[in-house]
Amino acid sequence: MVNPKLSHRASICYRPIEPSDREILEQIHCDLFPIRYESEFFQNVVNGQDIVSWAAVDRNRPNGRSDELVGFVTARIVLAKESEIGDMLRYDPSKPDQTLVYILTLGVVDGYRNLGIASSLIQKVIKYASSIQTCRAVYLHVISYNDPAIRLYKKMSFQCLRRLQGFYLIGGQQYDSYLFVYYVNGGRSPCSPLELVTIMVSYMRSGLKTVAAKLYKNEDRKVPKWPKCKESHSLISTTQHRRSLTAECNGCECV
């Protein structure tokens, strides 16, 4: 991997985050994010307490830094029924063990960006989530002005489901957040209101067609009357105009 900002050719490898990574992990979080994380968070990450993580390291990095973090991702498993996206996930409520994987933090240090590291770290999370039979989705929040991250998630087929007003409070100022979801193991979003309306319209349309068909058969069984014209003694047929009721509906998709 080559980046103009690097003086060498990078050789990126991935491994779990370890206790020895804590100091550099805290430093990178401080450098990259405007939000301060509690000491307990880093303690849980490096010890694997309810948090799974992956580190990206450059094996060709000089000066004895070949095992030092240049990127990372942290995530947590949460119960689907207790998550904030429970209303946006189609799952079986009779199975209370269904889960989700929530990405907590993701970052790559300056100089190692545009090498595909962030994408690879996200793929690690997706692969991990897919390996959990009860998991239905991977989800995360991204601040509304982080355009590079938004483009990355869209490129990786994450779906943007919701914009959350004032989700972040940074320096006394509120910022919106986008909620992104990647479904795994058959997980999917519930039907949108538009889809429900379309289903109802289709059902009503089908019912009207059935009624019309029955009426048509009944009329065919009747013997037509041919009144005789007294003046010309010719046969005049009486014509009945039938009106068909149609309902139009637009295509819809689950959101």
Side-chain angles (χ1 to χ4, degrees):
M1 297 181 179
V2 178
N3 187 311
K5 294 183 178 182
L6 297 178
S7 60
H8 65 281
R9 184 179 181 85
S11 176
I12 305 300
C13 298
Y14 301 89
R15 62 169 175 78
I17 292 179
E18 302 170 349
S20 59
D21 297 317
R22 176 163 179 172
E23 183 177 352
I24 186 64
L25 183 67
E26 290 191 33
Q27 183 61 51
I28 297 175
H29 273 75
C30 183
D31 293 341
L32 296 183
F33 305 126
I35 301 173
R36 292 191 57 83
Y37 291 85
E38 299 293 335
S39 176
E40 183 182 0
F41 168 75
F42 297 106
Q43 182 71 19
N44 291 338
V45 171
V46 299
N47 291 315
Q49 296 176 347
D50 298 323
I51 294 178
V52 292
S53 63
W54 288 265
V57 298
D58 179 5
R59 294 304 185 192
N60 283 343
R61 201 171 188 183
N63 303 323
R65 302 172 67 188
S66 62
D67 199 45
E68 187 175 291
L69 273 64
V70 297
F72 59 86
V73 64
T74 65
R76 173 183 287 126
I77 299 175
V78 298
L79 288 174
K81 65 178 182 179
E82 297 177 356
S83 73
E84 61 187 289
I85 68 167
D87 62 326
M88 291 178 286
L89 181 70
R90 178 180 290 179
Y91 68 97
D92 187 352
S94 66
K95 298 179 180 179
D97 62 335
Q98 292 186 80
T99 60
L100 308 170
V101 171
Y102 177 53
I103 294 180
L104 300 167
T105 60
L106 168 69
V108 177
V109 301
D110 189 26
Y112 282 88
R113 294 170 189 167
N114 301 315
L115 295 178
I117 296 175
S119 299
S120 296
L121 288 168
I122 294 173
Q123 286 292 353
K124 296 286 185 185
V125 178
I126 292 174
K127 183 177 180 180
Y128 170 75
S130 300
S131 69
I132 303 173
Q133 190 174 8
T134 59
C135 186
R136 294 295 174 263
V138 176
Y139 75 105
L140 57 90
H141 295 93
V142 59
I143 200 163
S144 58
Y145 61 72
N146 193 344
D147 294 332
I150 292 171
R151 287 194 295 269
L152 173 63
Y153 298 133
K154 288 182 177 179
K155 180 180 179 181
M156 298 190 70
S157 300
F158 277 74
Q159 298 180 34
C160 183
L161 296 188
R162 183 177 289 175
R163 179 169 182 150
L164 303 171
Q165 301 291 331
F167 184 83
Y168 294 106
L169 180 62
I170 303 173
Q173 185 173 350
Q174 291 185 327
Y175 295 90
D176 294 351
S177 165
Y178 289 111
L179 175 63
F180 280 89
V181 176
Y182 184 99
Y183 296 103
V184 298
N185 299 329
R188 55 179 297 192
S189 62
C191 293
S192 67
L194 179 58
E195 183 173 4
L196 293 176
V197 171
T198 303
I199 292 173
M200 292 178 63
V201 171
S202 298
Y203 179 79
M204 294 173 63
R205 186 176 184 180
S206 175
L208 288 172
K209 287 182 177 179
T210 301
V211 172
K214 290 182 178 179
L215 291 174
Y216 184 79
K217 289 181 179 180
N218 290 336
E219 290 177 0
D220 283 347
R221 292 171 184 171
K222 296 179 181 179
V223 178
K225 297 181 180 180
W226 302 95
K228 187 180 293 186
C229 179
K230 295 181 180 179
E231 287 79 9
S232 62
H233 302 284
S234 62
L235 296 177
I236 302 175
S237 63
T238 59
T239 305
Q240 296 181 342
H241 296 281
R242 301 186 182 89
R243 293 183 180 178
S244 61
L245 301 176
T246 59
E248 296 182 356
C249 62
N250 296 323
C252 68
E253 61 179 357
C254 288
V255 177

